[in-house]
Amino acid sequence: MQKVSSQQAIDTNIQAKKWWEREAEVQQDHEKGKNKWKALEHHGVTFFPAYQPHGGKPMDLTPEQEEICNWWAQIVDQDFSKKPLVRKNFEKSFIELFDQYLSDYKEIRKNRSTQEKKKEIEEKQKQDLIYKYCLIDGELEKISNIIVEPPGIFRGRGEHPLAGKLKSRIMPEHVTVNVGPEDPIPACPLGGHSWKRIISNPEATWLCHFKDERLEKSNNGKYVQLAADSRIKGENDRKKYEKARRLKKNIDSIKRNYQEKMRSQDVVDQQLGVCTYLIDKLALRVGNEKGEDEADTVGCCSLKVKNIQIEENNQITLDFLGKDSIRYLNTVEVEAKVHQNLKSFVQGKNPDDELFDRINASKLNDYLKEMMDDLSAKVFRTYNASVTLQNQFQEKDNKISEIDTIEKKVQFYEECNREVARLCNHQKEANKNHDEQLLKMKQVQTEKQEKVTQLEQELAKLKKGKSSNDPKLPKTVDLCLTALEKARAQLELQEMRVKKKDENKNLALGTSKINYMDPRISISWCKQKEVPIEKIFQPTLMNKFTWAMNIEPDYEF
DNA sequence: CGCCAAACTTAGGAGCTTGCCA
DNA sequence: TGGCAAGCTCCTAAGTTTGGCG
């Protein structure tokens, strides 16, 4: 891998290969069929360093610590030790014995000089450099993750049956490596060890695969994948949005199709129709069935009777835990036929029974493919998110004007973004100091308001030829007007900040920006409104979406 | 078909750095 | 000049989709 010699050489190479400007070649690539590459060269994956015993020397338990460990060992198989309260109390006392070391360690790390920290990072980057890039058909490409996951405690979300189980240390013997048939097999970075298997699968884009054998069935392992700004990921991303645009083009006939479907005499068809209606209208996930060893969450097809309330006036309330055990709670009006069908699906069932008992995700996707080539349920989320953003820009356009500041325009963008996040139910945990912080900001707002009022009063006085004696206040009408204008602008900014703070309390805007909204909508809007794109996209997104940067200002999704 | 594995995208939170204000 | 919120990247869990197999 000659090209991986220095960071500068890499940057130059990466800059040089703009795949989106070489569409002809990209077209040719399709002739390769299912194959994603002919040559693939890389250095494999690195490993989490072996555990460093505390302070580099073996840590003997103090007699006190050892004795306490023994106490627990004596009762560990008794019912007593299974009681949550017992475990909680014991754990607390136990951890107190050890956490002094950890907090000391943390403190030492924190107190290193800025220079020292910087040097450490630079050295790490230098070490990682050869692992960070691969060669795909001769082109240098960035890799996203180059180290296997460290051993530790599994942190499942929500009520996960496996939460707290141990994740074992991944060794080269757990790793399968995918390289080109003519390319060198990467050297195993751990002496005395060797890779589990070397394969050459050009239909896959992953470089390494590793699996913790200890975790159960639903764990299908992890991959070393290309970075988001690589050609292959970029092409896939663009294809995703093009497919969503195709859905937009066909949406009328698709709507007619599922409307007809839910009017069928066949319950299977009714369920397919209603499910598609809900996925289209509410941007729900498809909802695959889940295993015993996974958290109990649902999506559209796996909704249970207890997750829906059929209300008056064609309203329904959906209340369920979705992906990541995030709660979805929404009361909406649906079409009369949908309401009627849902009522019949609920009829005679128990709360834990499936609402759509005759279908599943796979059948639903089969149905979607009858209507549009390549259509699957997730495309509706991409389509809905992108259309929502575009519509928000249009509907709210009168809220901003050319003379507005960049900050105000950016706030406007966020307002539109929030509607998308709401649609997709992208929630986050509120900052634990949120209320306190908001109060402080509101106080600042009040002060700014008072300042404006004060200046307004002073202006009135000055116009009558009078003046206050306060030396802080302007002495002429002109000066006062300038000051007032400034104060009003400051007040408006603060009001926007307060609003943003409160509205973003439980909403995560990042997810839709990264995964759902066609970046070309945002970029063309920025061009129209003369907002620098960096104000909307952080550096990683600027890189991820470079393929979309040359879009015209009048792009329509 | 139903079931399962493989391969990929989507997700929230941890934890770091940055930048602002008192 | 240090305290703290905001911004951002990293991490890895948790989804979806497809296709092969009995």
Side-chain angles (χ1 to χ4, degrees):
Chain A
M1 284 186 52
Q2 289 295 314
K3 286 186 179 179
V4 184
S5 50
S6 71
Q7 189 62 55
Q8 203 191 355
I10 286 163
D11 290 343
T12 314
N13 265 300
I14 298 264
Q15 293 296 317
K17 49 144 217 71
K18 298 178 180 169
W19 58 265
W20 57 93
E21 288 178 1
R22 299 183 297 137
E23 297 295 341
E25 286 172 58
V26 175
Q27 285 296 320
Q28 275 175 20
D29 287 351
H30 293 160
E31 288 164 21
K32 289 192 287 197
K34 282 184 173 182
N35 288 357
K36 312 279 176 36
W37 47 261
K38 290 192 188 91
L40 171 62
E41 186 180 352
H42 61 93
H43 285 107
V45 66
T46 61
F47 292 86
F48 202 74
Y51 178 68
Q52 293 284 322
H54 289 179
K57 53 181 186 288
M59 178 183 166
D60 288 327
L61 298 184
T62 62
E64 192 200 7
Q65 289 170 337
E66 186 178 323
E67 188 184 11
I68 291 167
C69 290
N70 261 299
W71 291 343
W72 186 257
Q74 281 162 17
I75 65 160
V76 76
D77 51 7
Q78 296 173 7
D79 285 347
F80 177 72
S81 72
K82 309 277 193 293
K83 288 185 172 179
L85 182 67
V86 173
R87 300 184 82 93
K88 199 179 132 203
N89 285 334
F90 178 78
E91 240 176 69
K92 189 160 182 282
S93 324
F94 181 79
I95 283 161
E96 275 166 9
L97 296 172
F98 292 93
D99 71 354
Q100 190 56 45
Y101 169 82
L102 285 175
S103 58
D104 287 355
Y105 179 77
K106 233 177 169 175
E107 194 61 24
I108 292 167
R109 298 275 305 165
K110 206 181 98 187
N111 289 340
R112 288 168 306 155
S113 70
T114 321
Q115 262 182 341
E116 209 176 333
K117 285 181 193 166
K118 210 171 158 186
K119 202 179 154 197
E120 207 178 286
I121 290 171
E122 275 171 13
E123 252 157 45
K124 181 84 171 59
Q125 280 176 346
K126 213 170 159 187
Q127 261 180 33
D128 287 347
L129 192 63
I130 64 158
Y131 295 101
K132 228 24 226 170
Y133 297 87
C134 64
L135 280 172
I136 296 180
D137 297 334
E139 298 289 352
L140 205 55
E141 295 284 3
K142 196 143 157 238
I143 297 165
S144 71
N145 53 324
I146 59 155
I147 186 165
V148 298
E149 288 174 16
I153 297 167
F154 176 72
R155 301 181 63 123
R157 317 240 170 96
E159 295 298 309
H160 199 296
L162 303 186
K165 287 218 172 192
L166 296 185
K167 290 175 58 165
S168 41
R169 181 176 297 273
I170 302 290
M171 299 300 281
E173 284 74 13
H174 300 120
V175 178
T176 302
V177 179
N178 191 19
V179 285
E182 312 288 325
D183 292 304
I185 292 164
C188 177
L190 289 192
H193 291 271
S194 54
W195 306 117
K196 176 182 177 184
R197 209 150 78 91
I198 307 293
I199 66 158
S200 198
N201 177 6
E203 290 181 18
T205 61
W206 56 266
L207 314 184
C208 296
H209 174 259
F210 54 92
K211 192 167 168 176
D212 177 1
E213 305 294 345
R214 179 137 50 172
L215 275 156
E216 3 262 280
K217 13 179 181 160
S218 56
N219 158 43
N220 71 13
K222 300 289 176 72
Y223 296 88
V224 172
Q225 291 264 15
L226 296 168
D229 44 359
S230 64
R231 170 181 61 84
I232 287 179
K233 293 285 183 198
E235 279 174 3
N236 286 347
D237 210 33
R238 191 175 64 178
K239 274 184 211 154
K240 174 182 79 183
Y241 292 114
E242 287 307 305
K243 196 193 279 189
R245 295 176 82 192
R246 199 144 44 85
L247 173 56
K248 184 184 179 224
K249 224 184 241 167
N250 294 322
I251 193 67
D252 290 344
S253 76
I254 289 171
K255 277 184 200 290
R256 279 197 297 276
N257 197 313
Y258 67 66
Q259 287 286 350
E260 198 179 313
K261 201 94 174 162
M262 60 199 193
R263 283 169 176 79
S264 155
Q265 293 306 304
D266 183 351
V267 181
V268 170
D269 283 346
Q270 289 172 9
Q271 294 194 354
L272 287 172
V274 172
C275 235
T276 310
Y277 172 89
L278 291 176
I279 285 171
D280 182 21
K281 183 183 170 74
L282 303 175
L284 302 183
R285 295 186 188 84
V286 69
N288 286 285
E289 30 298 51
K290 300 196 68 186
E292 285 289 291
D293 55 354
E294 294 173 281
D296 189 12
T297 61
V298 298
C300 193
C301 292
S302 50
L303 279 170
K304 293 177 179 172
V305 168
K306 65 183 173 191
N307 297 132
I308 189 168
Q309 292 293 329
I310 316 282
E311 322 264 12
E312 297 296 299
N313 303 321
N314 286 339
Q315 302 232 320
I316 59 166
T317 296
L318 293 177
D319 187 353
F320 60 91
L321 295 183
K323 181 175 179 179
D324 293 299
S325 296
I326 297 291
R327 188 180 183 192
Y328 182 96
L329 175 61
N330 195 8
T331 301
V332 282
E333 188 179 336
V334 295
E335 287 174 20
K337 188 68 199 174
V338 173
H339 197 259
Q340 185 196 335
N341 278 355
L342 284 169
K343 221 176 205 170
S344 76
F345 300 156
V346 162
Q347 210 49 236
K349 285 186 191 161
N350 295 317
D352 279 315
D353 291 343
E354 292 214 10
L355 178 65
F356 300 110
D357 56 326
R358 306 289 299 279
I359 62 168
N360 58 32
S362 161
K363 282 181 186 155
L364 188 101
N365 278 331
D366 287 347
Y367 165 53
L368 296 181
K369 281 188 184 49
E370 290 173 18
M371 297 188 282
M372 183 184 119
D373 181 40
D374 290 341
L375 185 60
S376 68
K378 80 195 271 283
V379 184
F380 282 88
R381 268 168 84 80
T382 314
Y383 150 77
N384 261 312
S386 293
V387 162
T388 300
L389 181 70
Q390 185 167 278
N391 288 346
Q392 285 288 312
F393 282 160
Q394 282 164 13
E395 282 167 27
K396 294 185 170 161
D397 193 55
N398 57 352
K399 289 182 104 179
I400 50 164
S401 74
E402 276 174 43
I403 55 159
D404 281 329
T405 59
I406 300 290
E407 183 170 358
K408 189 167 175 191
K409 289 177 185 173
V410 171
Q411 298 277 9
F412 170 84
Y413 177 90
E414 272 204 12
E415 229 176 284
C416 301
N417 195 162
R418 269 198 292 275
E419 287 309 314
V420 180
R422 254 189 278 276
L423 174 78
C424 297
N425 200 37
H426 290 143
Q427 296 189 40
K428 71 170 197 298
E429 201 57 48
N431 179 334
K432 68 176 188 299
N433 301 323
H434 174 87
D435 292 347
E436 198 184 308
Q437 288 166 4
L438 190 68
L439 200 68
K440 255 190 213 165
M441 289 174 75
K442 280 184 174 164
Q443 278 163 8
V444 173
Q445 185 184 326
T446 310
E447 284 160 24
K448 306 229 184 242
Q449 177 63 64
E450 280 163 1
K451 173 98 185 174
V452 168
T453 314
Q454 193 187 22
L455 284 166
E456 278 168 354
Q457 287 167 355
E458 190 63 15
L459 182 65
K461 274 191 190 172
L462 287 168
K463 278 182 175 167
K464 288 182 197 158
K466 297 182 205 161
S467 155
S468 305
N469 285 327
D470 192 336
K472 285 179 194 160
L473 288 172
K475 294 284 166 275
T476 70
V477 171
D478 275 359
L479 283 175
C480 197
L481 276 171
T482 317
L484 190 56
E485 200 181 317
K486 210 172 143 190
R488 278 183 180 144
Q490 281 206 5
L491 173 63
E492 196 191 4
L493 263 188
Q494 187 63 20
E495 282 169 349
M496 286 194 310
R497 286 179 189 143
V498 169
K499 187 181 169 206
K500 167 186 161 161
K501 174 95 182 168
D502 204 28
E503 301 234 311
N504 284 358
K505 179 179 173 184
N506 295 108
L507 279 181
L509 304 191
T511 308
S512 48
K513 209 188 269 190
I514 296 165
N515 300 299
Y516 285 108
M517 306 183 308
D518 181 345
R520 292 167 295 188
I521 302 169
S522 295
I523 295 165
S524 60
W525 179 85
C526 281
K527 288 181 178 179
Q528 256 182 52
K529 303 297 174 191
E530 299 187 327
V531 174
I533 300 163
E534 305 82 56
K535 299 283 176 192
I536 303 294
F537 290 153
Q538 66 265 40
T540 43
L541 285 190
M542 292 294 287
N543 289 332
K544 173 172 177 168
F545 295 137
T546 31
W547 59 265
M549 289 298 167
N550 59 358
I551 197 70
E552 331 79 66
D554 61 349
Y555 173 75
E556 197 189 328
F557 175 79

